[in-house]
Amino acid sequence: MVLIRKFEEAAAKAYSVGKIGGFLHLYIGQEAVGVGSIAALTPHDYIVSTYRDHGHALARGLHPNPLMAELFGKATGISKGNGGSMHFFDKNAHFMGGHGIVGGHISLAAGIAFASKYKKEDSVTICFFGEGAANIGSFHEGLNLAAIWKLPVVFICENNHYAMGTPEYRALAVKDVSVRAYAYDIARDHIEGDEVRKVRDHVKVAVDRARRGEGPTLIEVSTYRFRGHSMSDPAKYRTKEELEAYKKKDPLMRARHELELGGLKPEELDQMELDIQTQIDDAYAFAESSPEPPLSQLHKYVYAEDK
Amino acid sequence: MAILTYREALNRAMVEEMEKDPLIYLMGEEVGHYQGAYKVSQGMLDKFGEERVIDTPISENGFAGIGVGSAMVGLRPIIEFMTWNFSLVAIDQIINSAAKMNYMSGGQFPMPIVFRGAGGAGGRLGAQHSQAFESWYAHCPGLKVVCPATPKDAYGLLKSSIRDNNPTIFIESEVLYGSKGEVPDDEYTIPLGLGEIKRKGTDITLVTWSRALSFALEAAEILEKEGISVEIVDLRSLRPLDENLIYESVKKTNRAVVVEEGWPVAGFGAQISHLIQKNAFSYLDHPVERVTQMDVPMSYAANLERMSLPNANRVADTIREMLR
Ligand SMILES: Cc1ncc(C[n+]2csc(CCOP(=O)(O)OP(=O)(O)O)c2C)c(N)n1
């Protein structure tokens, strides 16, 4: 979680000095959701993410260097510079992409789960999306197909209460996304997302259920993003008080507190944070010093045979 | 050599490929128990079972996405759209997911998927069911676009599309499903991107594909009686495009007409016309002409539908004008 936080703080800095282009959607504040959820998986399970994918990729264990390099648009990036912030992919890690069209990836996740079932493999796919995505057709089609075919997939709605500038009460006829599970006769769960171990334990139940062939689950995890929707959003649609109230429940503070209760000394934790900062500094330097993709790459990868 | 219908040729191609490779499955509305809305998948459910011939609810965006997701992890889906008109509901998955997956992942995710189904205009189906969409898909890098006009081509091209590691838009002509033609008994494939001269001639080159080939052939017959010799280039696939075949023919005839079922504005004929003027300009004795559907949605009225679609007489008139 600290790695994600520091990675994104460094990315924000790089963005503000023009080293990173395009959109940059930060995950700061939501770390416990991705880390907890992905902790419930084995290496052969699959993860499908959104444009807010940095946290999920790091939680999967991807090294920060190629991720930072991707943000910088470098040849050493995880998608060779073709993807950018919204499109991290790592086939080996079964990290099946950050996807930029809201909700479009929900049926892709069902498709990956479909393939697992088809090939009689016991992999489970988890799919992250926001509450804004729960209003789009793909969500409903994806869940219905997953339900009728009992696909091994867990749908995780990270409800941070805003879709860009639209608060949930202006977008959702029924505020609780998880009750939509009833419409598809699948299992549901609804948890607070500031306690990482709790997220892991709940997601694990759903993952096990999927692995046993008992079909999908819709989990809503309530969370909050501390930054705007993206770097270009000053987030004027919400109050300072609201933000401050959520910051008091910062999942990182909470995790640190638990680790201290578990017997780790503050100095040890400080040292760990320093080590992580060093790792991020290295990633930054790696990204900065990496070469841009060769111009000959422009026409590569359009088709499978363009290697 | 057997005489098969266009639909039987497609069926044979799918069956043979699925017998060879267990990773291939067919998915779509009514492909299984109903035996296919246009009976292209007749008998396949019995042969392959419900695990590989999969009926879906009406949810084009959803099952197109299932196909793309499953292709990311190695399956080789054939996704049938009942007709291409309904593919518009899934166009996000086709273009934003399938066409770009390999590129935006830096080459990590090839996309061995075929989207296929009935396309084209006619049959008094009205505005929402009578449309030729190949230009829309041919617009997008990352996709391959295939439009066979004969049973022989349908068989060979579908097999190549299924074996290809890229997303292929395979547009069958609804009007041609019952049309018959010779199909060699021995297995064969036709490489994507290879057109064919369907008729040799010396006075003018007619570039076409899919059902419009029949308008072209008919026009050529009419004109032959008037002493005009027409060469017909059937592109068979728009992406990749057999450019040289077009230029070679134009070099010989010095004139070209594109005949297509779709609308004129930003239609694929505009691209061909540009390519010819760019790459064979010095051989041209006349500007490249186009015969297309009229620039209107399709009317239900029989006379207006007839008027809207290209036909042999319009093609013949255009050619006579060019040779005057
Ligand atoms: C189909 C589509 N419409 C609009 C957008 C622009 N857009 C990007 S993110 C976003 C908000 C989505 O909110 P939510 O799903 O709640 O996720 P969050 O950003 O809160 O994580 C919008 C409107 C898009 N990318 N795709």
Side-chain angles (χ1 to χ4, degrees):
Chain A
M1 286 161 72
V2 175
L3 183 72
I4 297 171
R5 179 76 50 101
K6 292 198 180 297
F7 178 92
E8 292 211 311
E9 282 167 353
K13 215 175 282 165
Y15 189 85
S16 59
V17 296
K19 290 185 193 291
I20 295 174
F23 292 137
L24 189 71
H25 309 89
L26 299 183
Y27 196 58
I28 289 175
Q30 305 186 202
E31 294 93 339
V33 189
V35 171
S37 302
I38 291 168
L41 302 182
T42 66
H44 59 270
D45 292 329
Y46 294 96
I47 295 152
V48 185
S49 176
T50 68
Y51 45 84
R52 206 180 292 286
D53 56 357
H54 313 160
H56 302 142
L58 287 164
R60 183 47 157 184
L62 301 190
H63 197 282
N65 287 15
L67 301 184
M68 191 65 84
E70 189 64 34
L71 298 183
F72 279 59
K74 297 300 181 71
T76 52
I78 196 83
S79 303
K80 300 195 175 70
N82 270 5
S85 167
M86 300 191 282
H87 305 301
F88 286 175
F89 285 89
D90 191 328
K91 189 172 193 164
N92 293 330
H94 287 192
F95 192 78
M96 308 304 279
H99 299 269
I101 305 298
V102 169
H105 64 306
I106 295 176
S107 47
L108 296 188
I112 293 166
F114 172 88
S116 299
K117 188 170 178 186
Y118 187 99
K119 294 196 269 188
K120 302 191 166 57
E121 293 168 355
D122 76 343
S123 302
V124 173
T125 299
I126 67 173
C127 179
F128 295 102
F129 53 91
E131 83 289 348
N135 298 319
I136 204 165
S138 279
F139 168 90
H140 300 282
E141 297 188 21
L143 264 69
N144 187 58
L145 292 169
I148 58 174
W149 295 331
K150 284 209 178 321
L151 301 180
V153 54
V154 180
F155 300 105
I156 301 178
C157 177
E158 296 194 55
N159 186 346
N160 59 19
H161 311 293
Y162 291 90
M164 268 178 89
T166 305
E168 61 188 345
Y169 71 84
R170 286 208 282 127
L172 299 161
V174 175
K175 225 169 99 178
D176 186 337
V177 173
S178 72
V179 300
R180 294 186 183 192
Y182 294 129
Y184 307 105
D185 195 23
I186 59 175
R188 68 176 270 274
D189 199 352
H190 187 143
I191 42 176
E192 292 300 313
D194 50 356
E195 250 186 278
V196 65
R197 284 192 302 184
K198 181 161 140 194
V199 174
R200 180 199 59 196
D201 294 345
H202 279 250
V203 171
K204 182 80 169 38
V205 171
V207 167
D208 290 345
R209 179 183 299 126
R211 221 185 294 286
R212 287 194 305 270
E214 293 168 20
T217 304
L218 173 61
I219 304 180
E220 179 171 8
V221 189
S222 183
T223 182
Y224 202 79
R225 56 169 160 75
F226 294 169
R227 304 285 186 117
H229 169 67
S230 71
M231 284 295 286
S232 57
D233 168 27
K236 290 199 174 125
Y237 41 79
R238 61 188 191 188
T239 63
K240 243 201 183 97
E241 292 72 35
E242 179 181 296
L243 177 59
E244 290 314 315
Y246 273 104
K247 278 192 171 169
K248 289 206 181 87
K249 296 199 290 183
D250 187 338
L252 262 66
M253 276 165 33
R254 185 156 194 150
R256 188 180 163 110
H257 182 63
E258 279 186 45
L259 289 171
E260 284 175 5
L261 285 180
L264 280 171
K265 295 198 188 67
E267 309 85 71
E268 290 176 284
L269 289 163
D270 290 343
Q271 187 55 48
M272 283 161 80
E273 291 198 11
L274 280 175
D275 292 346
I276 289 169
Q277 188 57 53
T278 308
Q279 220 183 326
I280 295 300
D281 294 344
D282 287 350
Y284 196 101
F286 172 79
E288 216 171 15
S289 62
S290 287
E292 292 187 311
L295 292 182
S296 61
Q297 186 179 298
L298 182 65
H299 293 282
K300 263 193 198 174
Y301 312 127
V302 178
Y303 294 97
E305 49 279 9
D306 312 333
K307 295 247 160 67
Chain B
M1 197 153 4
I3 303 289
L4 296 185
T5 62
Y6 187 88
R7 84 160 46 79
E8 286 163 347
L10 293 164
N11 180 284
R12 187 183 138 195
M14 282 197 288
V15 167
E16 286 177 9
E17 291 304 299
M18 283 179 69
E19 278 169 346
K20 265 188 263 200
D21 184 350
L23 294 174
I24 303 171
Y25 69 90
L26 172 68
M27 173 178 277
E29 290 155 16
E30 314 289 4
V31 297
H33 291 275
Y34 191 80
Q35 307 292 318
Y38 291 89
K39 305 292 173 245
V40 177
S41 55
Q42 182 96 42
M44 288 178 66
L45 176 67
D46 279 349
K47 250 191 202 95
F48 299 108
E50 284 186 333
E51 265 154 46
R52 297 184 65 199
V53 178
I54 302 158
D55 284 324
T56 67
I58 302 161
S59 43
E60 281 76 7
N61 184 282
F63 67 75
I66 293 264
V68 174
S70 73
M72 289 180 82
V73 282
L75 296 191
R76 307 185 70 86
I78 304 171
I79 301 296
E80 176 174 310
F81 291 121
M82 195 177 280
T83 80
W84 279 95
N85 303 288
F86 318 136
S87 77
L88 299 196
V89 176
I91 204 164
D92 169 52
Q93 292 300 357
I94 299 171
I95 292 171
N96 277 319
S97 298
K100 291 155 188 175
M101 200 66 79
N102 197 56
Y103 196 80
M104 70 185 178
S105 67
Q108 294 184 73
F109 291 97
M111 196 34 66
I113 186 169
V114 178
F115 298 102
R116 50 155 289 273
R124 312 243 357 242
L125 296 177
Q128 293 181 333
H129 284 68
S130 258
Q131 318 184 70
F133 280 133
E134 50 269 28
S135 298
W136 289 41
Y137 292 108
H139 182 63
C140 303
L143 297 177
K144 296 194 174 178
V145 179
V146 184
C147 303
T150 67
K152 182 177 166 200
D153 290 349
Y155 169 87
L157 290 168
L158 183 53
K159 286 176 86 90
S160 294
S161 299
I162 293 170
R163 293 178 194 182
D164 203 282
N165 285 327
N166 297 286
T168 303
I169 304 297
F170 194 93
I171 302 183
E172 298 153 16
S173 166
E174 187 172 323
V175 180
L176 293 180
Y177 277 135
S179 66
K180 290 184 178 158
E182 287 189 338
V183 178
D185 298 324
D186 289 340
E187 184 184 16
Y188 63 96
T189 59
I190 298 171
L192 307 185
L194 200 66
E196 188 177 61
I197 305 287
K198 284 287 195 311
R199 182 189 170 108
K200 280 200 174 307
T202 51
D203 295 333
I204 187 153
T205 297
L206 231 156
V207 182
T208 191
W209 60 91
S210 191
R211 181 206 181 184
L213 174 65
S214 62
F215 310 139
L217 286 167
E218 209 185 312
E221 296 278 316
I222 297 170
L223 293 169
E224 188 174 30
K225 297 191 186 99
E226 301 169 20
I228 299 172
S229 161
V230 177
E231 175 144 304
I232 299 179
V233 174
D234 176 5
L235 294 175
R236 302 196 291 199
S237 70
L238 306 188
R239 241 188 209 272
L241 179 65
D242 198 343
E243 287 186 39
N244 280 332
L245 191 67
I246 303 173
Y247 306 146
E248 287 309 312
S249 178
V250 171
K251 281 179 191 173
K252 208 168 62 179
T253 64
N254 312 113
R255 288 174 187 80
V257 186
V258 186
V259 185
E260 65 183 306
E261 242 184 316
W263 293 304
V265 178
F268 199 73
Q271 172 71 8
I272 296 174
S273 166
H274 158 74
L275 286 172
I276 295 173
Q277 73 86 17
K278 177 100 172 37
N279 297 308
F281 184 72
S282 52
Y283 296 93
L284 284 178
D285 287 344
H286 193 284
V288 180
E289 293 287 353
R290 298 169 61 200
V291 180
T292 69
Q293 201 212 311
M294 297 294 180
D295 195 21
V296 293
M298 187 61 78
S299 170
Y300 168 72
N303 62 331
L304 297 184
E305 182 188 81
R306 220 176 301 123
M307 192 176 163
S308 191
L309 280 174
N311 59 44
N313 286 333
R314 257 169 68 196
V315 176
D317 286 347
T318 304
I319 291 175
R320 286 189 199 105
E321 192 68 27
M322 289 170 76
L323 288 166
R324 251 225 305 253

